[in-house]
């Protein structure tokens, strides 16, 4: 795709490029402003490109001084992508993310019916942080305004539709949309096309959750 940046945008990109090469030499372009917390716990392979206002946060919740966020090679993100991890958030190679995306392995408290559940009388920011790793495969395209919640895995080659909330696992080479995200299509390598899931298959994917 041809880049047609105006003068101001070209200057902003130039400043961001100098910043990138000084502080994140293996990235392609990290646009300013960017907010990075726990830099040593965030690893990315070469070629990362980000839009404006991205926020990457790695916390010492499960284990200190170990890497929490892994971003594969040649990933591209739009504006205001927020990644937060206290245990493990893995993003594969060649992933494309639109803007306003939230991906995290952290929750303020637990709500799953176990005896460790958080009390509503406790201030939410005082509830013990609970983590469940998130894993996103290679060649995944994530649409605008998507949230990917703790404990989820998205397989290689998936597409996550705009505005989806992913709270369960999505198998390889599927398109998932909606809240909660459900698989609507799967790629058939024998037919070389995306095939719509029947309603029965959609229901089975819900049962398998
Ligand atoms: C997910 C997506 C790629 C699907 O495209 P598609 O396969 O051509 O989708 P279709 O038009 O065949 O839709 C299939 C079904 O899913 C529904 N659907 C499609 N996208 C949806 C979405 N984002 N949320 C909810 N439902 C959606 C359609 O309404 C349709 O439902 P139906 O079978 O009940 O009629 C596309 O809709 C999308 O969300 N793209 C992301 C756009 C974006 O964020 N771009 C940013 C640029 S990086």
């Amino acid at each position: 795709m041809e880049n047609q940046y105006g003068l101001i945008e070209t200057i902003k990109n130039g400043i961001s490029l100098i910043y990138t090469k000084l502080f994140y030499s293996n990235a392609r372009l990290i646009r300013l402003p960017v907010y990075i917390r726990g830099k040593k716990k965030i690893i990315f392979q070469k070629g990362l490109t980000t839009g404006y206002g991205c926020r990457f946060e790695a916390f010492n919740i499960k284990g200190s001084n170990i890497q929490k966020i892994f971003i594969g090679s040649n990933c591209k993100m739009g504006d205001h992508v927020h990644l937060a991890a206290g245990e493990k958030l893995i993003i594969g190679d060649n992933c494309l993310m639109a803007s306003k995306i939230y991906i995290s392995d952290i929750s303020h408290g637990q709500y799953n019916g176990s005896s460790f559940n958080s009390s509503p009388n406790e201030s939410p920011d005082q509830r013990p942080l609970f983590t469940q790793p998130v894993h996103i495969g290679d060649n995944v395209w994530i649409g605008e305004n998507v949230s990917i919640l703790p404990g989820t895995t998205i397989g290689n080659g998936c597409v996550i539709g705009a505005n989806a909330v992913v709270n369960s696992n999505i198998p390889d080479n599927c398109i998932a949309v909606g809240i909660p995200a459900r698989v609507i299509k799967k790629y058939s390598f024998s037919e070389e096309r995306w095939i719509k899931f029947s309603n029965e298959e959609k229901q089975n994917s819900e049962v398998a959750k």
Side-chain angles (χ1 to χ4, degrees), residues 96-98 141-144 159-163 175-178 184-185 196 202:
L96 176 64
M97 298 188 194
W141 174 34
I142 301 172
E144 194 84 4
V159 178
I160 309 298
N163 296 311
I175 298 178
V177 302
I184 54 160
K185 292 182 187 180
K196 235 177 172 172
K202 277 187 207 165

Side-chain angles (χ1 to χ4, degrees), residues 14 30-31 53 69 96 100 112 141 144 165 167 171 180:
I30 295 188
R31 287 187 172 84
I69 299 181
L96 176 64
K100 292 180 258 111
N112 55 7
W141 174 34
E144 194 84 4
V165 175
N167 68 348

Side-chain angles (χ1 to χ4, degrees), residues 90-139:
I90 299 174
I91 297 169
D93 297 334
N94 309 314
C95 289
L96 176 64
M97 298 188 194
S99 297
K100 292 180 258 111
I101 290 169
Y102 172 67
I103 309 175
S104 173
D105 71 354
I106 305 170
S107 168
H108 284 267
Q110 279 191 65
Y111 307 90
N112 55 7
S114 76
S115 51
F116 300 106
N117 274 193
S118 301
S119 159
N121 288 332
E122 226 177 340
S123 154
D125 71 342
Q126 296 303 314
R127 297 175 195 168
L129 293 170
F130 178 62
T131 59
Q132 290 172 289
V134 171
H135 193 155
I136 297 170
D138 299 332
N139 298 332

